[in-house]
Amino acid sequence: MTEIFEAEKTQAASWFRQLRDDIVTAFTALEARQPGNSPAGQFDVRATTRTAEDGSDAGGGEMSVMRGGRVFEKVGVNISTVFGTLGERAQAAMAARKGLPGMKDDPRFWASGISLVAHMQNPHVPAVHMNTRMFWTPHAWWFGGGADLNPCIEYAEDTAHFHGEMKRACDPHGPALYDELKAWADEYFYIPHRKRARGVGGIFYDDRNTGDWDADFKLTQDVGAAFLPAFVPLVDKRRETPWDDADKDTQLRHRGLYAEYNLVYDRGTKFGLETGHDPDAVLMSLPPMAKWY
């Protein structure tokens, strides 16, 4: 399987990089068309590295982060391609295929993906998360991903638009798929200790392997391509909405909820830290400011 999947690995990693480039370009354009006295925000891009326990190269990626923009208070669009062997704790933190037969004897892995989280200046503009990824071991491969909207001030029409674009991405892959992935997101992005969801949902999937790599990769591409049409119109609609201190307070308290989820429950956070990836890249999702009472 190792040799067979080298081309697929290259294809997937190239797609994630292209999607990152498209999103960074679109977000930079949003900054440029937002009026303001301060300079439009720009992305700071830096390489991330991962080193195996024996000191050898274990992959890495790139962080693209904008801070203090006119539209984005903080947004990160990260890509990574990592490889090596999975220790017992890393295997336990895997988002899918825990206890995969053969992993203890041959724990090699390869993973590539894109992860995005945006925290906005204007409380009326929703925060958002998106990621897509491919995971390979000598014993199995699978895809995962999705996107979810996290407004602190909800507008029903914005929620409907976002979900509509997610459904549009899913429909070519089966008439029941959107409902399945929406339900998965509702369950996954639920915060048990708060007894509530962290946002208004979206879609989520993991362990996607129908046996047809091309079809599963195409779903992942369609989900990634749906992100900008789902999110950018909402930003354009709300980015100049007037807001006050009470709105900002609502936003900061909601960000506290977001931070709790990502630190306590998020599988990607746990897996990234357990596999020794750059902690700044793993924790990029945390908001720049939050509030708790």
Side-chain angles (χ1 to χ4, degrees):
M1 186 178 289
T2 303
E3 293 181 358
I4 294 173
F5 271 79
E6 287 308 311
E8 286 85 348
K9 291 175 184 176
T10 299
Q11 188 177 354
S14 296
W15 160 251
F16 298 136
R17 179 174 289 275
Q18 183 60 57
L19 181 59
R20 186 280 307 269
D21 292 347
D22 292 344
I23 292 170
V24 165
T25 297
F27 282 5
T28 301
L30 274 171
E31 280 288 314
R33 60 179 181 262
Q34 174 71 10
N37 296 323
S38 61
Q42 299 292 325
F43 279 93
D44 177 35
V45 181
R46 76 168 178 87
T48 61
T49 59
R50 179 175 171 272
T51 304
E53 290 184 2
D54 64 2
S56 61
D57 176 39
E62 287 181 350
M63 290 179 62
S64 301
V65 181
M66 180 193 300
R67 297 178 177 87
R70 296 172 179 172
V71 176
F72 298 95
E73 190 168 345
K74 177 187 177 186
V75 55
V77 193
N78 291 357
I79 53 171
S80 65
T81 298
V82 298
F83 48 85
T85 58
L86 294 171
E88 290 186 6
R89 291 183 61 180
Q91 290 184 39
M94 288 171 66
R97 301 294 181 102
K98 286 185 179 181
L100 185 70
M103 279 297 292
K104 290 189 180 299
D105 297 326
D106 186 353
R108 288 177 295 152
F109 84 100
W110 176 98
S112 185
I114 177 173
S115 180
L116 175 154
V117 176
H119 298 288
M120 316 305 291
Q121 293 282 13
N122 191 321
H124 294 274
V125 181
V128 73
H129 157 259
M130 184 276 294
N131 80 83
T132 60
R133 59 195 177 276
M134 176 188 165
F135 202 98
W136 172 93
T137 78
H139 322 288
W141 56 264
W142 60 90
F143 288 95
D148 66 296
L149 200 66
N150 295 273
C152 65
I153 300 170
E154 184 181 353
Y155 292 91
E157 61 269 34
D158 292 4
T159 301
H161 171 82
F162 188 85
H163 278 272
E165 293 299 320
M166 293 299 108
K167 185 176 187 302
R168 198 184 316 277
C170 292
D171 281 351
H173 303 275
L177 186 61
Y178 165 74
D179 289 338
E180 175 188 338
L181 301 190
K182 178 184 181 299
W184 200 338
D186 290 342
E187 178 182 359
Y188 180 64
F189 295 116
Y190 184 78
I191 306 175
H193 68 269
R194 296 293 186 186
K195 297 181 172 59
R196 59 159 293 178
R198 79 173 188 185
V200 296
I203 61 172
F204 178 80
Y205 62 99
D206 209 345
D207 196 17
R208 179 80 179 181
N209 180 339
T210 65
D212 185 336
W213 188 91
D214 289 319
D216 294 342
F217 181 43
K218 185 61 167 64
L219 169 64
T220 298
Q221 289 177 297
D222 287 347
V223 170
F227 172 73
L228 287 174
F231 183 60
V232 170
L234 306 184
V235 181
D236 273 328
K237 183 189 296 185
R238 306 293 175 192
R239 59 188 169 84
E240 294 190 63
T241 302
W243 54 273
D244 57 22
D245 289 344
D247 294 332
K248 197 66 177 180
D249 187 72
T250 297
Q251 182 191 53
L252 294 178
R253 294 177 66 182
H254 186 80
R255 284 181 179 173
L257 188 75
Y258 195 94
E260 288 178 16
Y261 177 87
N262 280 38
L263 290 173
V264 177
Y265 300 111
D266 187 79
R267 296 173 182 174
T269 300
K270 293 178 181 179
F271 183 80
L273 294 176
E274 288 294 346
T275 53
H277 199 55
D278 188 316
D280 289 333
V282 175
L283 298 174
M284 171 271 295
S285 60
L286 294 179
M289 296 179 63
K291 182 179 288 188
W292 286 266
Y293 284 92

